[in-house]
Amino acid sequence: MLQNTDRQSTDSALFQASGNGWQDAAGALFTPMTNDYLFRALLQRNNYVLKGLVCALLRIPFKEVISARITNPILLGESIDDKTFFLDVSVILNDRTYINIEMQVINEHNWPERSLSYLCRTYDNLNSGRDYIQVKPAVQIGLLDFTLFPEYPEFYATYQFLNRKTRKAYSDKMRLSVLNLTRIDLATDEDRLYHLDKWASFFKAATWEELKMLAKQDEFINEAAATIYEVSREENIRLQCEAREDYYRRQRSVQMQMERQESLLNEQKAALKGWEDKYASLVSKYGSLENENSSLQEELIFLKEQIESLRSLNDKDTHKSIL
């Protein structure tokens, strides 16, 4: 069996031949690094990069990684459609831990529910006839290009099932993590120790110059940049990445239209609420006036009765005095 250092050298050597070519690249990248097809192509094409990213996300040293294998690979460059394309990358680490990783660009406002569904499906990995204690750990990781909970922004957050009173973990075999690519400024010392801030900057990079700068700071990112350069030269992969970008544009257009409609609906609701409040106020005012009018009518009747009574008395007194 190879030692860890030998295994690392072997993995790294896969792309050494092309490692110098990308250094001459300049200008804007051919597609955003958050492109989920490019993300999948990167991790499928370079196992060394896959291991490096997994180590950073799980916060474990590279020497602990014996193997990392993608269990749902696709044929890179082959035509796909939105209905059949698997956005997530399923990995089994050291043949004992299942990891589901997904790059999510558009906020569809359903990530908590969606990620929980992925996590539960991943955790349901027990073969028939085996004891429940033998179920393999499952980890769901989302790389999000938006803030999941705006009221509680974080760079990297991990969630588990916990006892709400004692904070005791129910099980260490399920957990869910979220890397917020838009809030690198909130990275902690531990995040920086495992270069998660470098990986986030890598996925947010827009130019080759940015990649070169990051590559000088992290060997895995150096390999990742070389791989991106290689896959970007393959026309079929470029076409699929462009197709995904076109899909994003359509989704954003639909989302913007829905947001405009929602905004218009909210304005109409606010206007309706204003008219309803005004109507209620007028009804209340009318009711008050009606009550006041009724009271005035009663008072007028009373005064009229008093006047008539006084007139009657006055007429009697006048009649007496004549007599």
Side-chain angles (χ1 to χ4, degrees):
M1 179 181 293
L2 290 173
Q3 296 296 318
N4 285 310
T5 53
D6 295 333
R7 184 172 66 251
Q8 181 173 337
S9 299
T10 302
D11 289 335
S12 180
L14 291 173
F15 285 88
Q16 287 300 318
S18 60
N20 295 325
W22 78 274
Q23 294 288 351
D24 297 326
L29 298 170
F30 80 101
T31 192
M33 296 288 288
T34 50
N35 184 291
D36 54 6
Y37 193 93
L38 183 64
F39 180 69
R40 173 177 280 277
L42 167 64
L43 299 185
Q44 274 195 207
R45 188 60 63 85
N46 195 323
N47 191 257
Y48 179 66
V49 172
L50 172 64
K51 292 176 181 177
L53 178 60
V54 167
C55 286
L57 291 169
L58 297 186
R59 292 173 171 168
I60 59 175
F62 189 87
K63 64 182 181 180
E64 292 185 10
V65 177
I66 299 171
S67 64
R69 176 172 54 86
I70 294 178
T71 61
N72 64 339
I74 63 171
L75 187 59
L76 294 176
E78 189 174 78
S79 180
I80 60 168
D81 61 58
D82 300 337
K83 294 181 180 179
T84 60
F85 181 50
F86 292 99
L87 300 174
D88 56 313
V89 178
S90 296
V91 180
I92 183 165
L93 179 67
N94 296 341
D95 289 323
R96 66 170 181 263
T97 301
Y98 285 101
I99 307 168
N100 199 73
I101 310 174
E102 180 170 345
M103 176 71 72
Q104 183 67 27
V105 177
I106 299 174
N107 187 1
E108 298 178 1
H109 304 286
N110 63 1
W111 184 253
E113 294 77 15
R114 182 174 168 181
S115 58
L116 280 172
S117 295
Y118 287 155
L119 178 61
C120 291
R121 287 203 297 261
T122 303
Y123 186 72
D124 188 18
N125 57 63
L126 193 65
N127 293 326
S128 178
R130 306 198 72 183
D131 190 273
Y132 284 108
I133 198 67
Q134 296 174 300
V135 68
K136 290 181 170 63
V139 182
Q140 167 65 36
I141 303 175
L143 280 62
L144 311 185
D145 200 25
F146 54 86
T147 299
L148 184 59
F149 302 118
E151 64 276 26
Y152 302 108
E154 285 186 83
F155 173 61
Y156 191 58
T158 296
Y159 304 87
Q160 283 184 285
F161 293 109
L162 297 173
N163 183 303
R164 295 176 62 177
K165 290 186 294 185
T166 65
R167 315 307 295 172
K168 171 73 171 63
Y170 190 80
S171 172
D172 61 356
K173 287 192 173 184
M174 288 183 78
R175 77 172 187 257
L176 190 152
S177 296
V178 175
L179 182 68
N180 184 349
L181 300 179
T182 69
R183 295 307 306 264
I184 304 175
D185 58 304
L186 296 180
T188 65
D189 290 340
E190 187 177 18
D191 296 329
R192 287 188 284 271
L193 176 65
Y194 288 95
H195 286 198
L196 273 178
D197 57 325
K198 302 293 189 302
W199 277 109
S201 297
F202 170 77
F203 290 119
K204 292 294 289 181
T207 66
W208 287 106
E209 286 74 17
E210 291 177 74
L211 291 189
K212 291 175 188 178
M213 181 176 65
L214 290 166
K216 294 177 181 177
Q217 305 171 51
D218 187 283
E219 61 180 307
F220 296 106
I221 291 178
N222 181 70
E223 289 290 333
T227 306
I228 293 296
Y229 178 75
E230 287 299 309
V231 299
S232 69
R233 297 168 64 187
E234 299 181 29
E235 184 178 5
N236 288 342
I237 293 180
R238 286 178 64 97
L239 289 174
Q240 295 308 316
C241 289
E242 290 169 3
R244 291 304 293 171
E245 286 304 307
D246 183 58
Y247 169 77
Y248 295 149
R249 283 189 288 270
R250 295 197 309 272
Q251 289 294 99
R252 290 189 184 100
S253 178
V254 170
Q255 190 175 54
M256 288 177 63
Q257 185 177 0
M258 291 177 63
E259 288 174 353
R260 284 195 295 269
Q261 291 176 343
E262 185 178 2
S263 177
L264 179 61
L265 181 61
N266 288 335
E267 289 177 7
Q268 292 173 341
K269 285 182 178 179
L272 177 60
K273 180 68 165 54
W275 284 111
E276 288 176 340
D277 290 345
K278 188 173 183 180
Y279 174 78
S281 176
L282 289 173
V283 168
S284 176
K285 187 175 182 181
Y286 174 78
S288 298
L289 290 173
E290 195 172 41
N291 292 334
E292 185 177 348
N293 184 53
S294 177
S295 177
L296 287 172
Q297 286 180 343
E298 290 177 359
E299 188 174 351
L300 285 172
I301 292 172
F302 174 76
L303 289 173
K304 185 178 180 180
E305 290 175 348
Q306 291 297 313
I307 291 171
E308 290 178 350
S309 177
L310 289 171
R311 279 178 178 174
S312 177
L313 290 172
N314 186 55
D315 290 342
K316 288 181 180 179
D317 290 342
T318 302
H319 180 69
K320 287 179 180 179
S321 86
I322 293 174
L323 293 175

